[in-house]
Amino acid sequence: VKNERTFVEYAWTCTSNFMLYLLENKDIESLVYLDADLYFFNNPQMVLDEIGDNSLAIVEHRYSKNRKFFEKPMGRFNVSFVYAKNNEDGRRAIKWWADKVIEWCYDRYEDNKFGDQKYLDEFPKLFSYTYIVQHKGVNIAPWNIRFYKLKKENNQIYVDNAPLIFYHFHRFYILDENNYIPASRYYIPSKAIEYIYNEYWQEIKNIIVLVRNIKPEFNYGIKKMNGLNLIIEFLFKCSLFEDFYLLLSKVKHSLKYKKYKK
């Protein structure tokens, strides 16, 4: 299917199929798929301990109330973290998912499908042993960070009093060596910038220096933005502007749903 799909669509197609290949061909007890834009602030062992003996585990988007309408096209669950044991139950679920994305995996909402992600909504229905991770510090992201209470004590970040395990740096844009946009077209609270984004940015800068010591011309991942886009990003520093943007988005999505129903 590679020639029929965009680079992103093909990457999404590969996720479950690569997981299936590893489960079927490697001597491993379990496997976790992780998105590349995750950053761990804590040891994930506490999440694995929570999953325990379950054969399959997934995480929710946990959209904030003002973004809940995105659950319809994007799905209740997020592909960022998918756990499977290398047993019959784990392989059965990943095999079903891998077969489905071969059939259809596109960067659009259609017939209650979106990329490889909306298929996860079927996991709890089809596989009764699906475990939904409950830890609040898992998969914190731009789409939910605004309404969590953040604090930092003894160099530990807490989200609603739960230790932050990993953050999903969705739409993080590098503008140049000294500037970044934390999350394009999202309002990010100042505490999140201070506690979460600044640490990540420092790590990114360190890695850029490390790579350029080997390859001085390295420039991968730099986002080019025109003046208008930069103005829009600046407006998102205000929470009221995000509220206005989401109101328009909700209307747009509702009109799309009507079209899909027809």
Side-chain angles (χ1 to χ4, degrees):
V1 299
K2 184 174 184 178
N3 294 331
E4 306 166 11
R5 298 179 185 177
T6 66
F7 174 82
V8 169
E9 291 166 347
Y10 182 65
W12 291 345
T13 304
C14 286
T15 300
S16 53
N17 280 279
F18 186 45
M19 288 184 72
L20 181 64
Y21 170 80
L22 294 173
L23 290 170
E24 290 182 340
N25 293 279
K26 301 297 179 180
D27 183 20
I28 52 177
E29 292 183 7
S30 59
L31 179 68
V32 184
Y33 165 80
L34 300 170
D35 268 357
D37 53 355
L38 305 184
Y39 181 81
F40 283 79
F41 289 83
N42 223 315
N43 192 326
Q45 187 60 51
M46 60 185 79
V47 181
L48 299 177
D49 290 343
E50 180 189 331
I51 293 170
D53 293 330
N54 289 286
S55 296
L56 187 69
I58 51 180
V59 297
E60 294 177 284
H61 273 107
R62 292 178 184 159
Y63 284 115
S64 54
K65 288 183 180 179
N66 62 344
R67 290 183 176 271
K68 197 70 174 174
F69 64 92
F70 281 111
E71 201 169 277
K72 171 69 175 177
M74 301 299 177
R76 174 186 171 190
F77 301 101
N78 186 219
V79 173
S80 62
F81 180 103
V82 179
Y83 171 94
K85 264 193 168 40
N86 196 6
N87 59 21
E88 185 178 344
D89 286 342
R91 289 191 298 272
R92 183 189 304 118
I94 301 303
K95 175 71 164 60
W96 176 87
W97 187 24
D99 288 344
K100 283 296 180 181
V101 296
I102 293 294
E103 294 173 13
W104 192 100
C105 184
Y106 297 97
D107 189 8
R108 62 177 182 266
Y109 177 75
E110 181 181 300
D111 296 331
N112 204 33
K113 299 189 292 287
F114 175 78
D116 61 336
Q117 187 158 267
K118 279 283 282 183
Y119 292 118
L120 296 186
D121 284 10
E122 302 302 312
F123 273 23
K125 305 172 190 175
L126 297 174
F127 311 107
S128 59
Y129 46 87
T130 301
Y131 181 77
I132 302 167
V133 176
Q134 298 299 303
H135 196 293
K136 274 195 172 182
V138 165
N139 207 35
I140 304 301
W143 54 77
N144 57 36
I145 186 64
R146 181 177 167 186
F147 297 100
Y148 280 116
K149 292 180 180 178
L150 291 177
K151 67 177 181 180
K152 191 172 185 179
E153 293 179 355
N154 299 321
N155 210 33
Q156 170 70 65
I157 302 168
Y158 293 89
V159 183
D160 282 0
N161 295 318
L164 174 61
I165 305 300
F166 67 80
Y167 190 90
H168 194 153
F169 285 88
H170 175 66
R171 295 181 68 85
F172 179 91
Y173 288 167
I174 303 169
L175 300 180
D176 54 42
E177 291 86 348
N178 300 305
N179 297 284
Y180 72 94
I181 293 171
S184 178
R185 307 211 171 184
Y186 286 88
Y187 167 74
I188 303 297
S190 59
K191 280 189 177 180
I193 298 292
E194 180 185 354
Y195 299 159
I196 297 172
Y197 281 88
N198 285 347
E199 177 175 333
Y200 185 65
W201 175 233
Q202 188 58 54
E203 288 294 329
I204 291 290
K205 289 198 294 183
N206 290 343
I207 291 168
I208 290 174
V209 170
L210 180 67
V211 175
R212 284 183 175 170
N213 284 336
I214 302 167
K215 190 174 183 181
E217 70 275 18
F218 177 78
N219 204 34
Y220 184 78
I222 305 297
K223 186 75 173 179
K224 301 296 183 183
M225 303 189 78
N226 59 36
L228 177 60
N229 284 330
L230 288 173
I231 290 171
I232 292 172
E233 296 298 341
F234 179 79
L235 291 173
F236 271 94
K237 290 180 178 292
C238 173
S239 60
L240 289 177
F241 185 81
E242 184 187 59
D243 292 337
F244 174 69
Y245 170 80
L246 290 174
L247 180 62
L248 294 180
S249 297
K250 191 172 185 178
V251 172
K252 179 182 175 182
H253 277 69
S254 65
L255 292 174
K256 275 189 175 182
Y257 300 154
K258 288 180 181 179
K259 181 181 74 172
Y260 292 138
K261 286 176 182 177
K262 290 177 183 179

